[in-house]
Amino acid sequence: METYSFLREFADSWMLLVLFLFFVGVILWAIRPGSNKTHRDTANIPFRNEDKPAASKEART
């Protein structure tokens, strides 16, 4: 079997499966319960004070 045919068959079968599982893993990592605080903080970046960055909840207490 020549190299091109082997790599083509590999890409069409196993690599497709690997990339699909990687995609699902990234999605699950992004919506994991522990990431909610990070997403909330990132979403509030446009509303921060122009003179200085907004303080986190831990810094305010």
Side-chain angles (χ1 to χ4, degrees), residues 25-40:
V26 168
I27 296 299
L28 292 175
W29 179 78
I31 62 172
R32 72 190 190 283
S35 67
N36 191 19
K37 180 183 174 233
T38 304
H39 294 308
R40 196 174 330 117

Side-chain angles (χ1 to χ4, degrees), residues 10-24:
F10 179 74
D12 286 344
S13 58
W14 292 107
M15 191 53 70
L16 180 62
L17 178 64
V18 168
L19 290 176
F20 176 73
L21 292 174
F22 176 76
F23 174 76
V24 170

